[in-house]
Amino acid sequence: MFYIFKFISGGLRGMSMDEIAGYYSGLQVDMPYKFITVLIMYAISIVILIGGVQKGLERANKILIPGLFIFLVILSIRNLMLPDALEGVKWMWTPDFSKLNGSVIMAALNQCIFFSGVGMATLFSFGSYLNNESDIPFYGLVCMLSNVVVGILAGTAIFTALFSYGMDVAAGSGLVFQTMPYVFNEMSGGIIWGGLFFILLFAAGLSTIIGLYEGAASVLGEAVGWERKKSIFISFIILFILGIPTILSTTAWANVTPLGMDLFTFMDFVAMLITCPIAMILISIYAGTKFWDRFMEQSAVGAKYFKVPKIKFWYVICMPIIIAAVVIVGIMGYF
């Protein structure tokens, strides 16, 4: 959100790679800025959720998410024409099996957990808006394939540019905010490219936030019997309080390190390696036992091309064992 205005106004123009990295690091420790931006994001989310997911988020995403896809296609084609761009493609598609270990597998499972939204109730809250004409199995397949395609496009757009400009490919989570601004600065029309990139990235991030928020608010409201507005505002208070440790993890509470982790990493550890996997295991066992007949019935709603296979032992035995095994390996990797 902040980078949209900074980029369009030309505030990052002419900065070196080190200067941009320093600017990003400065934002990470700016406590008032972090609190303000978090509150703004919650305010936007509350307005959309009160207005209705279908009227607000769905309408916006029908324009913005395809826009992000088209932008990535154009940017990928454009970056493939850069000098040494094919080295980036080669690097991205050349497997190094020596790096395939427990932590990598755990990272892949984490991505599946986050993307599916099962353990965070996102899948259920959004799925409740579908009607009986929706092809559940086909929509699920489209979601999975679109995630893969967008990941490939994003990788192509980013790594071709990184290799062309001789930059570090291991910048991690700060890659988007440290490396890409410099890449856009080097491009002709970089302000337009960069501005569009961060606008669409903001839209993608906002849709994720709203999905998590909707999951929490809808489940809480139904469980307690609150009307929608009340559950949204109560959820905001709970979520904001729970989010304070992560906001302070790089500032006032930087020295607080449970299990040797900073608070941001610790919260991520608890969510992605403890609560979400446990929820997924319980849901899988429940779906494969007590809820099996209705699960098969519901998963076949609107099916036009294929149906979900009726492999009961997969849900009762295989999935719980796989998730538990990978989680154990992942937890061992932290220590």
Side-chain angles (χ1 to χ4, degrees):
M1 180 174 60
F2 187 80
Y3 269 65
I4 292 171
F5 301 105
K6 194 69 177 177
F7 218 98
I8 292 177
S9 66
L12 298 177
R13 183 184 292 179
M15 282 190 179
S16 67
M17 186 70 176
D18 290 338
E19 288 173 332
I20 293 175
Y23 181 77
Y24 173 74
S25 298
L27 291 177
Q28 291 288 77
V29 296
D30 188 336
M31 188 163 60
Y33 155 78
K34 295 178 82 171
F35 269 103
I36 291 170
T37 49
V38 167
L39 288 172
I40 291 173
M41 290 300 293
Y42 270 119
I44 295 172
S45 301
I46 289 171
V47 170
I48 292 175
L49 289 176
I50 289 178
V53 171
Q54 289 175 306
K55 293 180 180 179
L57 183 62
E58 184 178 349
R59 286 181 180 177
N61 279 351
K62 281 183 177 179
I63 300 173
L64 294 172
I65 300 305
L68 177 61
F69 179 81
I70 294 170
F71 176 82
L72 286 174
V73 171
I74 296 172
L75 188 62
S76 296
I77 295 172
R78 191 266 179 203
N79 286 358
L80 282 169
M81 299 178 183
L82 294 172
D84 298 320
L86 292 181
E87 290 299 315
V89 177
K90 181 180 177 182
W91 178 87
M92 188 172 75
W93 288 102
T94 302
D96 182 356
F97 293 106
S98 66
K99 301 290 179 65
L100 187 61
N101 52 35
S103 61
V104 172
I105 296 173
M106 189 63 239
L109 179 64
N110 280 353
Q111 178 64 19
C112 292
I113 291 172
F114 181 80
F115 173 65
S116 68
V118 174
M120 297 172 282
T122 309
L123 181 69
F124 307 119
S125 57
F126 279 165
S128 66
Y129 287 92
L130 297 175
N131 56 43
N132 289 331
E133 296 177 359
S134 301
D135 189 336
I136 302 298
F138 180 72
Y139 284 3
L141 181 63
V142 169
C143 283
M144 289 186 286
L145 293 179
S146 62
N147 186 53
V148 173
V149 171
V150 169
I152 292 172
L153 287 173
T156 302
I158 291 173
F159 291 117
T160 49
L162 293 180
F163 274 82
S164 180
Y165 294 110
M167 296 179 183
D168 182 16
V169 297
S173 59
L175 180 69
V176 168
F177 300 105
Q178 296 181 61
T179 308
M180 291 309 293
Y182 182 80
V183 170
F184 288 125
N185 282 339
E186 294 293 307
M187 293 180 178
S188 57
I191 289 180
I192 297 175
W193 284 108
L196 277 173
F197 176 78
F198 286 110
I199 287 172
L200 295 169
L201 188 66
F202 170 80
L206 178 62
S207 67
T208 301
I209 291 170
I210 292 174
L212 297 173
Y213 196 162
E214 169 69 16
S218 61
V219 169
L220 180 63
E222 289 183 18
V224 183
W226 289 335
E227 55 97 19
R228 183 168 176 80
K229 286 185 179 180
K230 183 176 181 179
S231 66
I232 287 174
F233 282 108
I234 296 296
S235 296
F236 158 69
I237 295 172
I238 296 171
L239 294 172
F240 182 74
I241 292 173
L242 290 174
I244 289 176
T246 62
I247 297 174
L248 299 178
S249 64
T250 56
T251 54
W253 292 356
N255 294 325
V256 180
T257 54
L259 300 180
M261 311 173 198
D262 63 78
L263 285 170
F264 186 93
T265 304
F266 177 72
M267 296 288 277
D268 182 67
F269 169 81
V270 171
M272 303 311 292
L273 276 173
I274 307 297
T275 59
C276 283
I278 289 175
M280 293 181 73
I281 289 172
L282 293 174
I283 291 168
S284 182
I285 294 174
Y286 181 71
T289 54
K290 187 175 180 180
F291 200 69
W292 178 249
D293 291 335
R294 286 199 63 193
F295 172 61
M296 285 291 100
E297 177 187 343
Q298 293 292 320
S299 64
V301 168
K304 298 181 180 67
Y305 308 102
F306 60 91
K307 292 184 178 181
V308 175
K310 296 182 179 181
I311 309 176
K312 195 170 185 177
F313 76 89
W314 175 256
Y315 298 92
V316 179
I317 301 173
C318 296
M319 278 186 64
I321 291 176
I322 292 171
I323 295 172
V326 177
V327 166
I328 291 170
V329 173
I331 291 175
M332 291 172 62
Y334 270 86
F335 304 102

